[in-house]
Amino acid sequence: MALKNLFPSRKAPLWRRAFAYVIDLIAISIIISPLRNFEFQEENLSSLYQFLINNPGIATNFILTTFIAIIITLFYFAFLEFKFKQTLGKLIMKIEVKSLTRELSFSQTLVRSITKISTLVLLIDYLYGVINHSHQRFFEKISNTEVIEV
Amino acid sequence: MSKLKTIIFTILLLWLIIYLFSNIITIPDLNDKIAVITIDEPISIGKQSIPFQNQFSSQDIIENLDKASQDSTVKGIILEINSPGGTVVASKEIADRVKSMNKPVVSWIREIGTSGAYWIASSSDKIVADPLSITGSIGVISSYLEFAGLLKNYNVTYESLTTGKYKELGSPFKELSQEERAFLQSKLNQIHDYFVKEVAANRNLEL
């Protein structure tokens, strides 16, 4: 029996996870840096929507760029966590993803990574755990994964 | 290969894929602009060259063209023209500046774009006009009110002392002599010839 199975895993504290996430965000921003940022000058969502309606070419490129950024973010987290149980941030902060049921699968890492396409959405996801006094985000719960210290 | 190196390699590989992809999709610079410069009054050198009429000073228009030329976010210029034309030199100054612009210029003739205004339009890269727009009038006119007869009717004598043969050319207080008329006409003909040649060259037309 592996030694580490004799000892229960320590749940990764919030600060480690937060720092790991920041490092990962930096890595993702480096990856998508060749995509130019759209600097819209519209003051609110309504005028932005109207601007995009009136400029279908720009709207198409904007949607395409946003879609690529989302795919890259999902792939970064899902693939690296599946392959190595860690992303760059988690590796540096010495934490990793662990499956609560079977061997960690790609579908599990994909599901748990869904909310990482937006920091705001991730925060709401994390609040679930806080409200329920659990160390797991909602999408970690439904993917049967957790983050532990290495 | 260590885990760290593999992860970093993966990140770099993803970056490369995005870099190659970014060369395919065109993301426009949202700061790109088209400058619209309006010419909807008669054109002159100074603002009061033509009495009792609002005018566009050639200096103002050239300043706007210069601004558009120097602004890196301006990618092209539209001249919105609704003018009957103006004075010779003012029209030429603007036309020359339009011709020397380093960005595409399109002239959009609204109701009227004649004479000097058409000269300016012909200097641009493209002219857009409505089928009912009035254009052309490639000619020169010089006119003034001559009061010699009126003065005579009121027994008013006009006295002037001048030096030089044509010093008093175009005075409203005396009749134009045949010689003076011929001289003025020859000047108009010169301007007209120049005007026609310029427009023909600008529009790639043979004379």
Side-chain angles (χ1 to χ4, degrees):
Chain A
M1 185 185 290
L3 263 177
K4 71 176 183 181
N5 289 336
L6 293 176
F7 302 96
S9 314
R10 279 187 56 181
K11 312 288 185 282
L14 173 63
W15 70 269
R16 278 190 193 267
R17 297 184 66 170
F19 269 101
Y21 181 65
V22 169
I23 294 167
D24 289 328
L25 278 186
I26 293 170
I28 290 168
S29 66
I30 290 170
I31 292 170
I32 63 174
S33 61
L35 296 176
R36 187 190 294 177
N37 289 328
F38 281 84
E39 292 173 9
F40 293 110
Q41 294 171 13
E42 280 59 37
E43 290 173 353
N44 54 52
L45 282 176
S46 173
S47 55
L48 174 60
Y49 172 75
Q50 202 55 50
F51 175 81
L52 291 173
I53 290 288
N54 292 334
N55 294 279
I58 294 174
T60 303
N61 282 332
F62 173 63
I63 291 167
L64 191 59
T65 307
T66 305
F67 179 71
I68 292 166
I70 289 171
I71 294 297
I72 289 294
T73 303
L74 278 177
F75 182 81
Y76 174 86
F77 284 103
F79 176 75
L80 290 178
E81 286 176 355
F82 164 66
K83 193 82 180 152
F84 306 110
K85 295 187 171 65
Q86 290 173 310
T87 57
L88 180 65
K90 288 185 171 68
L91 182 69
I92 292 170
M93 298 310 298
K94 294 183 172 39
I95 56 178
E96 68 177 22
V97 176
K98 181 186 158 192
S99 171
L100 293 173
T101 52
R102 53 192 190 284
E103 192 72 26
L104 188 64
S105 68
F106 183 75
S107 60
Q108 282 180 290
T109 57
L110 185 62
V111 168
R112 58 171 277 110
S113 300
I114 286 172
T115 52
K116 290 193 180 153
I117 59 175
S118 162
T119 305
L120 180 62
V121 175
L122 182 67
L123 198 60
I124 295 169
D125 188 20
Y126 190 80
L127 279 174
Y128 169 85
V130 171
I131 290 166
N132 289 291
H133 305 289
S134 157
H135 63 279
Q136 282 177 304
R137 297 184 283 112
F138 176 72
F139 277 80
E140 282 177 339
K141 192 173 175 66
I142 62 176
S143 64
N144 285 313
T145 57
E146 63 177 358
V147 179
I148 58 172
E149 287 183 323
V150 176
Chain B
M1 198 190 287
S2 73
K3 193 188 279 186
L4 177 62
K5 284 181 186 170
T6 310
I7 289 174
I8 290 174
F9 175 78
T10 306
I11 290 170
L12 290 173
L13 186 62
L14 286 174
W15 178 90
L16 184 62
I17 291 169
I18 294 299
Y19 175 77
L20 292 171
F21 186 81
S22 69
N23 287 329
I24 299 170
I25 61 169
T26 309
I27 300 177
D29 185 342
L30 293 174
N31 287 323
D32 289 352
K33 294 192 272 286
I34 298 290
V36 179
I37 298 173
T38 305
I39 305 174
D40 60 358
E41 303 281 2
I43 303 154
S44 65
I45 292 284
K47 284 194 171 6
Q48 296 302 323
S49 295
I50 306 172
F52 312 117
Q53 267 194 323
N54 289 331
Q55 298 134 45
F56 261 118
S57 151
S58 60
Q59 195 59 37
D60 290 341
I61 297 169
I62 289 171
E63 272 175 17
N64 287 335
L65 287 166
D66 288 341
K67 271 188 215 168
S69 175
Q70 286 153 18
D71 188 338
S72 60
T73 63
V74 171
K75 303 302 177 191
I77 294 106
I78 293 177
L79 293 177
E80 188 182 347
I81 297 174
N82 193 32
S83 166
T87 60
V88 173
V89 174
S91 302
K92 180 180 179 298
E93 282 179 348
I94 299 169
D96 287 346
R97 187 64 188 97
V98 168
K99 222 189 289 191
S100 69
M101 289 294 286
N102 55 359
K103 295 176 185 177
V105 180
V106 172
S107 287
W108 176 28
I109 297 177
R110 308 297 305 276
E111 297 274 359
I112 180 167
T114 54
S115 191
Y118 184 74
W119 188 349
I120 293 166
S122 73
S123 301
S124 59
D125 298 295
K126 207 108 181 135
I127 301 176
V128 175
D130 190 272
L132 299 180
S133 298
I134 300 172
T135 68
S137 186
I138 303 171
V140 189
I141 181 170
S142 176
S143 61
Y144 63 96
L145 292 174
E146 191 247 278
F147 298 100
L150 184 66
L151 291 177
K152 196 173 175 182
N153 289 342
Y154 284 90
N155 209 24
V156 175
T157 308
Y158 170 67
E159 295 283 355
S160 75
L161 301 166
T162 60
T163 61
K165 189 177 180 185
Y166 296 113
K167 192 66 183 174
E168 212 176 1
L169 192 65
S171 168
F173 303 117
K174 70 178 218 26
E175 285 179 27
L176 204 59
S177 70
Q178 285 297 108
E179 200 179 353
E180 286 172 335
R181 185 179 295 274
F183 178 78
L184 268 178
Q185 188 64 52
S186 75
K187 291 294 173 197
L188 293 185
N189 291 343
Q190 279 178 20
I191 296 169
H192 180 243
D193 285 345
Y194 188 92
F195 188 5
V196 168
K197 281 179 187 155
E198 278 289 297
V199 171
N202 291 341
R203 301 290 290 158
N204 293 318
L205 297 170
E206 285 184 21
L207 288 172

